[in-house]
Amino acid sequence: MARTSSQNQNEKNKIANWVIRSFVSRDPLFVNTSVSLLHSTIISVSVVFILVNQCLKNGSDGMFEHSQLVGGTWEWAYAALCFSCGYFAYDQLDMLFYRLYSGSIPSILVHHMILLVCFTLALYRNVTINYLILTLVCELHSIFLHVRKVRRMAGIRSAKSTIVRVEWVLNWLTFIFARSLSHILITIKLVVDAPKFEKGVELPLALFGMAGMNFINVGLGIDLFNAFKRERNPQKNSDHHGE
């Protein structure tokens, strides 16, 4: 079932890819970023809906208990995870096919590989679904990462622009709270609840996955800060390259 659901979501991502290529732009980077923005938006809305729906139906008491996070599955959580799993599979292939990455060990490819392993195993075994839904809170930040990329492709780069300023405020807020803090809290929860896990691959894989995510977040934060400095001082950056 998990495999079929993920395949269906992969097909939907391909359709979105085709629509953007046919009617908007054929530039591989623009298409990839647009599909990524679409995914981040849909998943962010879905995760918020899942959490709010769960609170309204059953209350927040016990919602984040170990038994719920590991063995339970909130309503719509499985479908949302399948959607993301399909997207990450598509995105990994798309980036490899069009070489939309840089560096000898691209962090984005490592990020997707970690998620694909964790998501696929969780969906197959139907465990830790709710834990993984919580990790997807970070997609709120991904929205603004993709918006920034699309905005720069559109030629809107002035640091004095209100749009750019608002975007950077939202970018930093979501990076700190939706991505960094949420992943740190999930990691702490895993460590605290470690004795409650049964013997198996769930805990080691979860700890490995979160360690990888936190490490990637550090690198992302550094890249984000450097990008922020470049946009705030475009003239200085231009002079530096001209030397």
Side-chain angles (χ1 to χ4, degrees), residues 41-78:
T41 304
I42 292 173
I43 283 298
S44 295
V45 172
S46 299
V47 169
V48 171
F49 170 78
I50 289 167
L51 294 175
V52 171
N53 181 60
Q54 185 67 20
C55 283
L56 292 176
K57 280 193 171 183
N58 303 311
S60 59
D61 291 342
M63 186 173 170
F64 301 112
E65 290 294 326
H66 175 77
S67 58
Q68 267 292 306
L69 294 176
V70 175
T73 303
W74 297 322
E75 191 174 4
W76 299 104
Y78 196 92

PDB file of all heavy atoms in Angstrom, residues 41-78:
ATOM      1  N   THR A  41       4.233  23.902   0.072  1.00  0.00           N
ATOM      2  CA  THR A  41       2.980  24.569   0.427  1.00  0.00           C
ATOM      3  C   THR A  41       1.904  23.555   0.802  1.00  0.00           C
ATOM      4  O   THR A  41       1.228  23.692   1.836  1.00  0.00           O
ATOM      5  CB  THR A  41       2.486  25.440  -0.745  1.00  0.00           C
ATOM      6  OG1 THR A  41       3.512  26.371  -1.106  1.00  0.00           O
ATOM      7  CG2 THR A  41       1.230  26.201  -0.364  1.00  0.00           C
ATOM      8  N   ILE A  42       1.757  22.532  -0.023  1.00  0.00           N
ATOM      9  CA  ILE A  42       0.735  21.509   0.232  1.00  0.00           C
ATOM     10  C   ILE A  42       1.017  20.776   1.541  1.00  0.00           C
ATOM     11  O   ILE A  42       0.113  20.567   2.364  1.00  0.00           O
ATOM     12  CB  ILE A  42       0.669  20.504  -0.939  1.00  0.00           C
ATOM     13  CG1 ILE A  42       0.118  21.188  -2.195  1.00  0.00           C
ATOM     14  CG2 ILE A  42      -0.205  19.299  -0.570  1.00  0.00           C
ATOM     15  CD1 ILE A  42       0.178  20.330  -3.442  1.00  0.00           C
ATOM     16  N   ILE A  43       2.272  20.400   1.752  1.00  0.00           N
ATOM     17  CA  ILE A  43       2.619  19.648   2.958  1.00  0.00           C
ATOM     18  C   ILE A  43       2.507  20.514   4.205  1.00  0.00           C
ATOM     19  O   ILE A  43       2.051  20.050   5.259  1.00  0.00           O
ATOM     20  CB  ILE A  43       4.036  19.052   2.835  1.00  0.00           C
ATOM     21  CG1 ILE A  43       3.991  17.829   1.930  1.00  0.00           C
ATOM     22  CG2 ILE A  43       4.596  18.654   4.191  1.00  0.00           C
ATOM     23  CD1 ILE A  43       3.109  16.692   2.439  1.00  0.00           C
ATOM     24  N   SER A  44       2.900  21.771   4.111  1.00  0.00           N
ATOM     25  CA  SER A  44       2.781  22.670   5.265  1.00  0.00           C
ATOM     26  C   SER A  44       1.329  22.810   5.694  1.00  0.00           C
ATOM     27  O   SER A  44       0.995  22.705   6.881  1.00  0.00           O
ATOM     28  CB  SER A  44       3.358  24.047   4.927  1.00  0.00           C
ATOM     29  OG  SER A  44       4.744  23.968   4.699  1.00  0.00           O
ATOM     30  N   VAL A  45       0.463  23.040   4.713  1.00  0.00           N
ATOM     31  CA  VAL A  45      -0.975  23.149   4.999  1.00  0.00           C
ATOM     32  C   VAL A  45      -1.490  21.825   5.570  1.00  0.00           C
ATOM     33  O   VAL A  45      -2.275  21.810   6.529  1.00  0.00           O
ATOM     34  CB  VAL A  45      -1.757  23.526   3.723  1.00  0.00           C
ATOM     35  CG1 VAL A  45      -3.262  23.440   3.965  1.00  0.00           C
ATOM     36  CG2 VAL A  45      -1.382  24.931   3.264  1.00  0.00           C
ATOM     37  N   SER A  46      -1.028  20.722   4.999  1.00  0.00           N
ATOM     38  CA  SER A  46      -1.474  19.400   5.446  1.00  0.00           C
ATOM     39  C   SER A  46      -1.057  19.114   6.880  1.00  0.00           C
ATOM     40  O   SER A  46      -1.854  18.616   7.685  1.00  0.00           O
ATOM     41  CB  SER A  46      -0.909  18.310   4.521  1.00  0.00           C
ATOM     42  OG  SER A  46      -1.350  18.483   3.200  1.00  0.00           O
ATOM     43  N   VAL A  47       0.195  19.421   7.204  1.00  0.00           N
ATOM     44  CA  VAL A  47       0.703  19.157   8.554  1.00  0.00           C
ATOM     45  C   VAL A  47      -0.050  19.999   9.585  1.00  0.00           C
ATOM     46  O   VAL A  47      -0.449  19.494  10.645  1.00  0.00           O
ATOM     47  CB  VAL A  47       2.220  19.431   8.632  1.00  0.00           C
ATOM     48  CG1 VAL A  47       2.702  19.425  10.081  1.00  0.00           C
ATOM     49  CG2 VAL A  47       2.986  18.388   7.825  1.00  0.00           C
ATOM     50  N   VAL A  48      -0.246  21.270   9.272  1.00  0.00           N
ATOM     51  CA  VAL A  48      -1.003  22.139  10.182  1.00  0.00           C
ATOM     52  C   VAL A  48      -2.422  21.603  10.353  1.00  0.00           C
ATOM     53  O   VAL A  48      -2.951  21.535  11.471  1.00  0.00           O
ATOM     54  CB  VAL A  48      -1.031  23.592   9.661  1.00  0.00           C
ATOM     55  CG1 VAL A  48      -1.992  24.441  10.492  1.00  0.00           C
ATOM     56  CG2 VAL A  48       0.366  24.197   9.696  1.00  0.00           C
ATOM     57  N   PHE A  49      -3.031  21.196   9.244  1.00  0.00           N
ATOM     58  CA  PHE A  49      -4.391  20.648   9.300  1.00  0.00           C
ATOM     59  C   PHE A  49      -4.435  19.376  10.150  1.00  0.00           C
ATOM     60  O   PHE A  49      -5.342  19.200  10.979  1.00  0.00           O
ATOM     61  CB  PHE A  49      -4.892  20.335   7.889  1.00  0.00           C
ATOM     62  CG  PHE A  49      -6.175  19.555   7.863  1.00  0.00           C
ATOM     63  CD1 PHE A  49      -7.392  20.182   8.104  1.00  0.00           C
ATOM     64  CD2 PHE A  49      -6.169  18.180   7.622  1.00  0.00           C
ATOM     65  CE1 PHE A  49      -8.582  19.460   8.100  1.00  0.00           C
ATOM     66  CE2 PHE A  49      -7.346  17.452   7.617  1.00  0.00           C
ATOM     67  CZ  PHE A  49      -8.556  18.094   7.857  1.00  0.00           C
ATOM     68  N   ILE A  50      -3.478  18.494   9.948  1.00  0.00           N
ATOM     69  CA  ILE A  50      -3.434  17.230  10.699  1.00  0.00           C
ATOM     70  C   ILE A  50      -3.322  17.492  12.198  1.00  0.00           C
ATOM     71  O   ILE A  50      -4.041  16.888  13.007  1.00  0.00           O
ATOM     72  CB  ILE A  50      -2.252  16.360  10.216  1.00  0.00           C
ATOM     73  CG1 ILE A  50      -2.541  15.812   8.813  1.00  0.00           C
ATOM     74  CG2 ILE A  50      -1.985  15.202  11.184  1.00  0.00           C
ATOM     75  CD1 ILE A  50      -1.325  15.211   8.126  1.00  0.00           C
ATOM     76  N   LEU A  51      -2.436  18.399  12.577  1.00  0.00           N
ATOM     77  CA  LEU A  51      -2.218  18.694  13.998  1.00  0.00           C
ATOM     78  C   LEU A  51      -3.438  19.381  14.623  1.00  0.00           C
ATOM     79  O   LEU A  51      -3.864  19.021  15.725  1.00  0.00           O
ATOM     80  CB  LEU A  51      -0.974  19.563  14.165  1.00  0.00           C
ATOM     81  CG  LEU A  51       0.358  18.905  13.780  1.00  0.00           C
ATOM     82  CD1 LEU A  51       1.502  19.903  13.869  1.00  0.00           C
ATOM     83  CD2 LEU A  51       0.646  17.704  14.674  1.00  0.00           C
ATOM     84  N   VAL A  52      -3.990  20.354  13.907  1.00  0.00           N
ATOM     85  CA  VAL A  52      -5.168  21.064  14.424  1.00  0.00           C
ATOM     86  C   VAL A  52      -6.364  20.116  14.506  1.00  0.00           C
ATOM     87  O   VAL A  52      -7.106  20.105  15.495  1.00  0.00           O
ATOM     88  CB  VAL A  52      -5.508  22.279  13.528  1.00  0.00           C
ATOM     89  CG1 VAL A  52      -6.849  22.888  13.935  1.00  0.00           C
ATOM     90  CG2 VAL A  52      -4.406  23.329  13.625  1.00  0.00           C
ATOM     91  N   ASN A  53      -6.536  19.317  13.472  1.00  0.00           N
ATOM     92  CA  ASN A  53      -7.641  18.353  13.440  1.00  0.00           C
ATOM     93  C   ASN A  53      -7.545  17.362  14.595  1.00  0.00           C
ATOM     94  O   ASN A  53      -8.548  17.031  15.242  1.00  0.00           O
ATOM     95  CB  ASN A  53      -7.625  17.608  12.104  1.00  0.00           C
ATOM     96  CG  ASN A  53      -8.762  16.605  11.977  1.00  0.00           C
ATOM     97  OD1 ASN A  53      -9.934  16.966  12.044  1.00  0.00           O
ATOM     98  ND2 ASN A  53      -8.421  15.341  11.793  1.00  0.00           N
ATOM     99  N   GLN A  54      -6.325  16.914  14.871  1.00  0.00           N
ATOM    100  CA  GLN A  54      -6.111  15.974  15.970  1.00  0.00           C
ATOM    101  C   GLN A  54      -6.428  16.622  17.314  1.00  0.00           C
ATOM    102  O   GLN A  54      -7.044  16.001  18.186  1.00  0.00           O
ATOM    103  CB  GLN A  54      -4.659  15.479  15.945  1.00  0.00           C
ATOM    104  CG  GLN A  54      -4.334  14.397  16.959  1.00  0.00           C
ATOM    105  CD  GLN A  54      -5.049  13.092  16.688  1.00  0.00           C
ATOM    106  OE1 GLN A  54      -5.506  12.854  15.566  1.00  0.00           O
ATOM    107  NE2 GLN A  54      -5.162  12.248  17.698  1.00  0.00           N
ATOM    108  N   CYS A  55      -6.004  17.860  17.467  1.00  0.00           N
ATOM    109  CA  CYS A  55      -6.273  18.584  18.723  1.00  0.00           C
ATOM    110  C   CYS A  55      -7.769  18.801  18.930  1.00  0.00           C
ATOM    111  O   CYS A  55      -8.283  18.640  20.041  1.00  0.00           O
ATOM    112  CB  CYS A  55      -5.561  19.936  18.711  1.00  0.00           C
ATOM    113  SG  CYS A  55      -3.796  19.838  19.036  1.00  0.00           S
ATOM    114  N   LEU A  56      -8.461  19.173  17.865  1.00  0.00           N
ATOM    115  CA  LEU A  56      -9.892  19.441  17.972  1.00  0.00           C
ATOM    116  C   LEU A  56     -10.693  18.174  18.249  1.00  0.00           C
ATOM    117  O   LEU A  56     -11.686  18.198  18.981  1.00  0.00           O
ATOM    118  CB  LEU A  56     -10.398  20.102  16.681  1.00  0.00           C
ATOM    119  CG  LEU A  56      -9.885  21.516  16.400  1.00  0.00           C
ATOM    120  CD1 LEU A  56     -10.394  22.008  15.051  1.00  0.00           C
ATOM    121  CD2 LEU A  56     -10.311  22.483  17.507  1.00  0.00           C
ATOM    122  N   LYS A  57     -10.254  17.068  17.665  1.00  0.00           N
ATOM    123  CA  LYS A  57     -10.997  15.816  17.819  1.00  0.00           C
ATOM    124  C   LYS A  57     -10.719  15.119  19.148  1.00  0.00           C
ATOM    125  O   LYS A  57     -11.631  14.632  19.815  1.00  0.00           O
ATOM    126  CB  LYS A  57     -10.665  14.857  16.670  1.00  0.00           C
ATOM    127  CG  LYS A  57     -11.418  15.159  15.385  1.00  0.00           C
ATOM    128  CD  LYS A  57     -11.282  14.006  14.408  1.00  0.00           C
ATOM    129  CE  LYS A  57     -12.220  14.212  13.221  1.00  0.00           C
ATOM    130  NZ  LYS A  57     -12.168  13.063  12.274  1.00  0.00           N
ATOM    131  N   ASN A  58      -9.447  15.053  19.514  1.00  0.00           N
ATOM    132  CA  ASN A  58      -9.068  14.267  20.690  1.00  0.00           C
ATOM    133  C   ASN A  58      -8.366  15.066  21.782  1.00  0.00           C
ATOM    134  O   ASN A  58      -7.992  14.507  22.807  1.00  0.00           O
ATOM    135  CB  ASN A  58      -8.167  13.095  20.263  1.00  0.00           C
ATOM    136  CG  ASN A  58      -8.829  12.218  19.222  1.00  0.00           C
ATOM    137  OD1 ASN A  58      -9.965  11.810  19.376  1.00  0.00           O
ATOM    138  ND2 ASN A  58      -8.117  11.940  18.135  1.00  0.00           N
ATOM    139  N   GLY A  59      -8.158  16.354  21.530  1.00  0.00           N
ATOM    140  CA  GLY A  59      -7.447  17.158  22.507  1.00  0.00           C
ATOM    141  C   GLY A  59      -5.946  16.935  22.404  1.00  0.00           C
ATOM    142  O   GLY A  59      -5.488  15.977  21.776  1.00  0.00           O
ATOM    143  N   SER A  60      -5.199  17.807  23.024  1.00  0.00           N
ATOM    144  CA  SER A  60      -3.740  17.712  22.942  1.00  0.00           C
ATOM    145  C   SER A  60      -3.144  16.770  23.987  1.00  0.00           C
ATOM    146  O   SER A  60      -1.975  16.411  23.909  1.00  0.00           O
ATOM    147  CB  SER A  60      -3.114  19.102  23.103  1.00  0.00           C
ATOM    148  OG  SER A  60      -3.491  19.670  24.350  1.00  0.00           O
ATOM    149  N   ASP A  61      -3.954  16.368  24.970  1.00  0.00           N
ATOM    150  CA  ASP A  61      -3.460  15.466  26.013  1.00  0.00           C
ATOM    151  C   ASP A  61      -3.057  14.121  25.410  1.00  0.00           C
ATOM    152  O   ASP A  61      -3.864  13.448  24.765  1.00  0.00           O
ATOM    153  CB  ASP A  61      -4.538  15.237  27.086  1.00  0.00           C
ATOM    154  CG  ASP A  61      -4.801  16.489  27.911  1.00  0.00           C
ATOM    155  OD1 ASP A  61      -3.940  17.384  27.881  1.00  0.00           O
ATOM    156  OD2 ASP A  61      -5.864  16.571  28.552  1.00  0.00           O
ATOM    157  N   GLY A  62      -1.837  13.754  25.635  1.00  0.00           N
ATOM    158  CA  GLY A  62      -1.345  12.470  25.148  1.00  0.00           C
ATOM    159  C   GLY A  62      -0.997  12.453  23.676  1.00  0.00           C
ATOM    160  O   GLY A  62      -0.564  11.425  23.142  1.00  0.00           O
ATOM    161  N   MET A  63      -1.151  13.584  23.027  1.00  0.00           N
ATOM    162  CA  MET A  63      -0.908  13.651  21.583  1.00  0.00           C
ATOM    163  C   MET A  63       0.552  13.365  21.235  1.00  0.00           C
ATOM    164  O   MET A  63       0.849  12.774  20.186  1.00  0.00           O
ATOM    165  CB  MET A  63      -1.316  15.034  21.070  1.00  0.00           C
ATOM    166  CG  MET A  63      -1.261  15.198  19.573  1.00  0.00           C
ATOM    167  SD  MET A  63      -1.955  16.802  19.088  1.00  0.00           S
ATOM    168  CE  MET A  63      -1.498  16.852  17.362  1.00  0.00           C
ATOM    169  N   PHE A  64       1.438  13.799  22.126  1.00  0.00           N
ATOM    170  CA  PHE A  64       2.862  13.619  21.856  1.00  0.00           C
ATOM    171  C   PHE A  64       3.499  12.567  22.762  1.00  0.00           C
ATOM    172  O   PHE A  64       4.706  12.584  22.994  1.00  0.00           O
ATOM    173  CB  PHE A  64       3.592  14.959  21.995  1.00  0.00           C
ATOM    174  CG  PHE A  64       3.062  16.022  21.064  1.00  0.00           C
ATOM    175  CD1 PHE A  64       2.390  17.134  21.557  1.00  0.00           C
ATOM    176  CD2 PHE A  64       3.204  15.888  19.688  1.00  0.00           C
ATOM    177  CE1 PHE A  64       1.885  18.104  20.699  1.00  0.00           C
ATOM    178  CE2 PHE A  64       2.701  16.848  18.821  1.00  0.00           C
ATOM    179  CZ  PHE A  64       2.035  17.959  19.324  1.00  0.00           C
ATOM    180  N   GLU A  65       2.659  11.670  23.250  1.00  0.00           N
ATOM    181  CA  GLU A  65       3.181  10.546  24.027  1.00  0.00           C
ATOM    182  C   GLU A  65       3.898   9.568  23.096  1.00  0.00           C
ATOM    183  O   GLU A  65       3.589   9.484  21.901  1.00  0.00           O
ATOM    184  CB  GLU A  65       2.041   9.825  24.753  1.00  0.00           C
ATOM    185  CG  GLU A  65       1.416  10.620  25.890  1.00  0.00           C
ATOM    186  CD  GLU A  65       2.376  10.851  27.038  1.00  0.00           C
ATOM    187  OE1 GLU A  65       3.211   9.955  27.304  1.00  0.00           O
ATOM    188  OE2 GLU A  65       2.312  11.935  27.649  1.00  0.00           O
ATOM    189  N   HIS A  66       4.820   8.822  23.664  1.00  0.00           N
ATOM    190  CA  HIS A  66       5.620   7.882  22.874  1.00  0.00           C
ATOM    191  C   HIS A  66       4.745   6.909  22.083  1.00  0.00           C
ATOM    192  O   HIS A  66       4.994   6.666  20.889  1.00  0.00           O
ATOM    193  CB  HIS A  66       6.556   7.103  23.810  1.00  0.00           C
ATOM    194  CG  HIS A  66       7.327   6.026  23.117  1.00  0.00           C
ATOM    195  ND1 HIS A  66       8.432   6.278  22.330  1.00  0.00           N
ATOM    196  CD2 HIS A  66       7.139   4.669  23.076  1.00  0.00           C
ATOM    197  CE1 HIS A  66       8.899   5.146  21.840  1.00  0.00           C
ATOM    198  NE2 HIS A  66       8.134   4.158  22.278  1.00  0.00           N
ATOM    199  N   SER A  67       3.736   6.370  22.733  1.00  0.00           N
ATOM    200  CA  SER A  67       2.880   5.376  22.072  1.00  0.00           C
ATOM    201  C   SER A  67       2.164   5.965  20.860  1.00  0.00           C
ATOM    202  O   SER A  67       1.981   5.289  19.839  1.00  0.00           O
ATOM    203  CB  SER A  67       1.848   4.825  23.063  1.00  0.00           C
ATOM    204  OG  SER A  67       1.061   5.878  23.599  1.00  0.00           O
ATOM    205  N   GLN A  68       1.777   7.228  20.970  1.00  0.00           N
ATOM    206  CA  GLN A  68       1.097   7.891  19.858  1.00  0.00           C
ATOM    207  C   GLN A  68       2.059   8.197  18.716  1.00  0.00           C
ATOM    208  O   GLN A  68       1.735   8.007  17.545  1.00  0.00           O
ATOM    209  CB  GLN A  68       0.464   9.197  20.344  1.00  0.00           C
ATOM    210  CG  GLN A  68      -0.977   9.069  20.775  1.00  0.00           C
ATOM    211  CD  GLN A  68      -1.908   8.762  19.612  1.00  0.00           C
ATOM    212  OE1 GLN A  68      -1.934   9.467  18.612  1.00  0.00           O
ATOM    213  NE2 GLN A  68      -2.657   7.681  19.736  1.00  0.00           N
ATOM    214  N   LEU A  69       3.234   8.668  19.063  1.00  0.00           N
ATOM    215  CA  LEU A  69       4.198   9.063  18.038  1.00  0.00           C
ATOM    216  C   LEU A  69       4.785   7.862  17.298  1.00  0.00           C
ATOM    217  O   LEU A  69       5.104   7.955  16.113  1.00  0.00           O
ATOM    218  CB  LEU A  69       5.327   9.885  18.667  1.00  0.00           C
ATOM    219  CG  LEU A  69       4.927  11.250  19.237  1.00  0.00           C
ATOM    220  CD1 LEU A  69       6.114  11.919  19.912  1.00  0.00           C
ATOM    221  CD2 LEU A  69       4.371  12.156  18.143  1.00  0.00           C
ATOM    222  N   VAL A  70       4.920   6.752  17.990  1.00  0.00           N
ATOM    223  CA  VAL A  70       5.543   5.572  17.379  1.00  0.00           C
ATOM    224  C   VAL A  70       4.514   4.617  16.783  1.00  0.00           C
ATOM    225  O   VAL A  70       4.640   4.184  15.636  1.00  0.00           O
ATOM    226  CB  VAL A  70       6.423   4.820  18.407  1.00  0.00           C
ATOM    227  CG1 VAL A  70       6.967   3.521  17.806  1.00  0.00           C
ATOM    228  CG2 VAL A  70       7.571   5.703  18.858  1.00  0.00           C
ATOM    229  N   GLY A  71       3.499   4.293  17.558  1.00  0.00           N
ATOM    230  CA  GLY A  71       2.539   3.283  17.112  1.00  0.00           C
ATOM    231  C   GLY A  71       1.256   3.821  16.522  1.00  0.00           C
ATOM    232  O   GLY A  71       0.547   3.100  15.813  1.00  0.00           O
ATOM    233  N   GLY A  72       0.949   5.078  16.795  1.00  0.00           N
ATOM    234  CA  GLY A  72      -0.299   5.650  16.304  1.00  0.00           C
ATOM    235  C   GLY A  72      -0.135   6.315  14.945  1.00  0.00           C
ATOM    236  O   GLY A  72       0.980   6.542  14.470  1.00  0.00           O
ATOM    237  N   THR A  73      -1.263   6.597  14.334  1.00  0.00           N
ATOM    238  CA  THR A  73      -1.256   7.327  13.057  1.00  0.00           C
ATOM    239  C   THR A  73      -2.413   8.313  13.068  1.00  0.00           C
ATOM    240  O   THR A  73      -3.577   7.909  13.079  1.00  0.00           O
ATOM    241  CB  THR A  73      -1.418   6.373  11.853  1.00  0.00           C
ATOM    242  OG1 THR A  73      -0.374   5.396  11.878  1.00  0.00           O
ATOM    243  CG2 THR A  73      -1.337   7.152  10.541  1.00  0.00           C
ATOM    244  N   TRP A  74      -2.091   9.589  13.094  1.00  0.00           N
ATOM    245  CA  TRP A  74      -3.134  10.611  13.072  1.00  0.00           C
ATOM    246  C   TRP A  74      -3.868  10.568  11.734  1.00  0.00           C
ATOM    247  O   TRP A  74      -3.307  10.143  10.714  1.00  0.00           O
ATOM    248  CB  TRP A  74      -2.525  11.996  13.288  1.00  0.00           C
ATOM    249  CG  TRP A  74      -1.865  12.164  14.621  1.00  0.00           C
ATOM    250  CD1 TRP A  74      -2.279  11.661  15.818  1.00  0.00           C
ATOM    251  CD2 TRP A  74      -0.646  12.885  14.894  1.00  0.00           C
ATOM    252  NE1 TRP A  74      -1.410  12.023  16.818  1.00  0.00           N
ATOM    253  CE2 TRP A  74      -0.404  12.773  16.286  1.00  0.00           C
ATOM    254  CE3 TRP A  74       0.247  13.617  14.102  1.00  0.00           C
ATOM    255  CZ2 TRP A  74       0.697  13.363  16.899  1.00  0.00           C
ATOM    256  CZ3 TRP A  74       1.345  14.206  14.701  1.00  0.00           C
ATOM    257  CH2 TRP A  74       1.561  14.085  16.086  1.00  0.00           C
ATOM    258  N   GLU A  75      -5.087  11.040  11.757  1.00  0.00           N
ATOM    259  CA  GLU A  75      -5.890  11.060  10.537  1.00  0.00           C
ATOM    260  C   GLU A  75      -5.200  11.881   9.448  1.00  0.00           C
ATOM    261  O   GLU A  75      -4.736  12.985   9.702  1.00  0.00           O
ATOM    262  CB  GLU A  75      -7.274  11.655  10.848  1.00  0.00           C
ATOM    263  CG  GLU A  75      -8.273  11.475   9.730  1.00  0.00           C
ATOM    264  CD  GLU A  75      -9.675  11.937  10.113  1.00  0.00           C
ATOM    265  OE1 GLU A  75      -9.842  12.465  11.235  1.00  0.00           O
ATOM    266  OE2 GLU A  75     -10.592  11.768   9.286  1.00  0.00           O
ATOM    267  N   TRP A  76      -5.111  11.326   8.269  1.00  0.00           N
ATOM    268  CA  TRP A  76      -4.489  11.921   7.083  1.00  0.00           C
ATOM    269  C   TRP A  76      -2.955  11.920   7.131  1.00  0.00           C
ATOM    270  O   TRP A  76      -2.307  12.320   6.161  1.00  0.00           O
ATOM    271  CB  TRP A  76      -4.969  13.364   6.847  1.00  0.00           C
ATOM    272  CG  TRP A  76      -6.442  13.478   6.626  1.00  0.00           C
ATOM    273  CD1 TRP A  76      -7.379  13.924   7.518  1.00  0.00           C
ATOM    274  CD2 TRP A  76      -7.165  13.111   5.448  1.00  0.00           C
ATOM    275  NE1 TRP A  76      -8.638  13.868   6.976  1.00  0.00           N
ATOM    276  CE2 TRP A  76      -8.537  13.372   5.694  1.00  0.00           C
ATOM    277  CE3 TRP A  76      -6.790  12.587   4.208  1.00  0.00           C
ATOM    278  CZ2 TRP A  76      -9.520  13.125   4.747  1.00  0.00           C
ATOM    279  CZ3 TRP A  76      -7.779  12.346   3.266  1.00  0.00           C
ATOM    280  CH2 TRP A  76      -9.124  12.618   3.542  1.00  0.00           C
ATOM    281  N   ALA A  77      -2.380  11.464   8.232  1.00  0.00           N
ATOM    282  CA  ALA A  77      -0.918  11.501   8.354  1.00  0.00           C
ATOM    283  C   ALA A  77      -0.241  10.554   7.363  1.00  0.00           C
ATOM    284  O   ALA A  77       0.776  10.900   6.751  1.00  0.00           O
ATOM    285  CB  ALA A  77      -0.500  11.157   9.783  1.00  0.00           C
ATOM    286  N   TYR A  78      -0.800   9.363   7.212  1.00  0.00           N
ATOM    287  CA  TYR A  78      -0.199   8.373   6.309  1.00  0.00           C
ATOM    288  C   TYR A  78      -0.198   8.889   4.869  1.00  0.00           C
ATOM    289  O   TYR A  78       0.807   8.783   4.158  1.00  0.00           O
ATOM    290  CB  TYR A  78      -0.970   7.054   6.406  1.00  0.00           C
ATOM    291  CG  TYR A  78      -0.241   5.869   5.820  1.00  0.00           C
ATOM    292  CD1 TYR A  78       0.574   5.064   6.615  1.00  0.00           C
ATOM    293  CD2 TYR A  78      -0.362   5.549   4.469  1.00  0.00           C
ATOM    294  CE1 TYR A  78       1.246   3.973   6.078  1.00  0.00           C
ATOM    295  CE2 TYR A  78       0.305   4.465   3.924  1.00  0.00           C
ATOM    296  CZ  TYR A  78       1.105   3.681   4.736  1.00  0.00           C
ATOM    297  OH  TYR A  78       1.778   2.605   4.197  1.00  0.00           O
TER     298      TYR A  78
END
